[in-house]
Amino acid sequence: MAQESLPGQEHPVLDAHAHALIPAIEAAVAGQPGAEEARALGLRRDGAPSAAVTRQMVADRIPALTDPATRLADMDAAGVDVQLVSPSPGHYHYWADPGLAREVTQAAGEGIAALVARHPDRLLGLGLVPLQHPADCQAALEHAVTGCGLAGVEISSHAGQPGATVELSDERLDPFWARAAELGAIVFLHPFGCSLDERLDRFYLSNTVGQPVEHAVALSHLIFGGVLDRHPGLRVLAAHGGGYLPGYLGRSDHAWQSERLSKAHEQTESTRITDPEGGGPDRGPGPAAGHGGGRGGPRPGGGGPGGRPGGPEQGQPAGLQRAQQRVPVAAAVGQARLRRPARADGDRQQREGGDRGRDGGGP
């Protein structure tokens, strides 16, 4: 697609799922014991045959993951106007201590910013935050957005080890979520690794099953944990169609409506509930393909099992309600207008980005 056609296009084609490799990150972690342990964990989770497939797939795509000219040629061939570029999820390194994690996130922001600067009319970028260190996430977000001029950050579905896992509903992340909403930053959710471990070590199940599972769990934490209530301006974009959650909304709705969970949440009743007309005040974008809604508590009805009547506008968290409507991710991202937030140096240029893309680390 000719680049000069962009200014006259009302609805450019937006690709929000495309990764890049940042050599400086791997140089920073090289030789660290945690890096070797993480590789061993990945091999155990994937299984040797699946890991071999992934290695070859990435090797075949090194030019597209590292060379801007190859990236733009691929975009043109696919009819993509604007691409939102995120670091390869293999760069998360959530095992790193605070000091090394700071090096990783800074290298990610600066590396992606340098790539985007080569073609600022075609590329937007995302940085990283150290999810394993919730207290440091806000500073990393600000470095990526206000320091490097990126559109937001990329995160996984969780961080940490058994007994010390940081879920997305962890209240220690609230300052990060609040600042992301304030900046209008995109938070791109892309899992890396599934906690089902060796159960998925054959048939490439760690990817084909593991990724959708992790999405369903992570998005459920955002919805049921009240994150979207506390931070209604959040702009969350989930890769891979949101995983299994959209296909099993009835079960989530049933859980929300159940008496046991209603009691468990009676002190933190969700405001991410739509009124019968689906209206109410604008609660902010929320997750892509799952935002909007008004105030109110759970009401009878809903689309859960057991023959209970109802639909997306009756008694559901707004994230579930909007996802059930199957709103395209591209539309939600377009509404969010993936703008490049104000940089520290006063750069207030705005860009648009969106959905559809390729992945250097597996679909």
Side-chain angles (χ1 to χ4, degrees):
M1 182 171 293
Q3 183 172 330
E4 56 268 19
S5 68
L6 285 171
Q9 289 185 357
E10 183 178 359
H11 300 293
V13 176
L14 312 171
D15 174 355
H17 189 170
H19 296 310
L21 292 177
I22 312 298
I25 295 178
E26 297 313 301
V29 304
Q32 296 287 338
E36 296 305 319
E37 293 172 7
R39 291 189 187 97
L41 174 61
L43 181 60
R44 191 171 78 244
R45 286 174 165 175
D46 294 347
S50 296
V53 170
T54 298
R55 282 195 300 271
Q56 187 60 51
M57 178 184 62
V58 173
D60 292 343
R61 289 162 176 77
I62 291 296
L65 293 165
T66 58
D67 177 48
T70 302
R71 182 179 298 272
L72 259 64
D74 288 346
M75 289 170 60
D76 290 340
V80 171
D81 299 306
V82 179
Q83 191 176 77
L84 180 65
V85 184
S86 53
S88 169
H91 289 325
Y92 289 152
H93 297 303
Y94 286 158
W95 50 267
D97 62 33
L100 181 57
R102 190 176 304 112
E103 291 185 46
V104 167
T105 57
Q106 289 180 351
E110 292 162 8
I112 294 293
L115 171 63
V116 168
R118 298 280 297 272
H119 300 281
D121 55 339
R122 304 289 302 275
L123 303 175
L124 288 161
L126 298 174
L128 297 178
V129 298
L131 199 62
Q132 74 275 33
H133 304 299
D136 297 333
C137 286
Q138 179 180 341
L141 169 71
E142 291 176 348
H143 175 262
V145 175
T146 65
C148 297
L150 301 179
V153 293
E154 177 186 32
I155 63 172
S156 190
S157 53
H158 68 287
Q161 302 298 323
T165 299
V166 178
E167 300 287 1
L168 300 191
S169 57
D170 194 314
E171 291 189 359
R172 293 176 297 169
L173 289 171
D174 271 11
F176 162 70
W177 297 123
R179 187 59 171 147
E182 181 181 359
L183 290 171
I186 294 299
V187 179
F188 180 47
L189 173 59
H190 189 299
F192 182 69
C194 180
S195 53
L196 291 174
D197 292 339
E198 290 94 340
R199 292 197 62 207
L200 305 181
D201 66 359
R202 286 169 288 177
F203 319 126
Y204 208 52
L205 296 181
S206 60
N207 188 290
T208 57
V209 173
Q211 295 284 57
V213 165
E214 288 294 322
H215 269 296
V217 174
L219 291 171
S220 294
H221 270 276
L222 288 176
I223 294 170
F224 287 92
V227 174
L228 303 182
D229 301 314
R230 296 191 297 272
H231 310 288
L234 274 176
R235 291 171 172 173
V236 177
L237 171 64
H240 313 129
Y244 291 131
L245 183 64
Y248 287 84
L249 291 175
R251 297 181 69 87
S252 293
D253 182 50
H254 181 61
W256 183 269
Q257 301 291 346
S258 73
E259 181 179 1
R260 184 174 65 178
L261 279 180
S262 294
K263 289 181 178 179
H265 291 286
E266 62 185 359
Q267 300 302 320
T268 57
E269 182 177 277
S270 176
T271 58
R272 300 294 294 191
I273 306 295
T274 58
D275 62 30
E277 288 74 39
D282 183 2
R283 299 290 296 160
H291 68 265
R295 297 183 179 270
R299 291 182 291 273
R308 295 165 65 172
E313 72 280 1
Q314 292 187 353
Q316 288 179 314
L320 303 182
Q321 183 265 344
R322 192 62 176 269
Q324 195 168 54
Q325 293 177 352
R326 300 296 194 274
V327 178
V329 175
V333 177
Q335 182 178 10
R337 293 188 64 81
L338 285 186
R339 66 184 181 281
R340 190 186 301 255
R343 293 186 55 160
D345 61 7
D347 177 8
R348 298 178 180 274
Q349 296 179 357
Q350 291 189 343
R351 304 284 197 276
E352 288 190 355
D355 173 51
R356 210 179 73 82
R358 293 168 301 283
D359 187 329

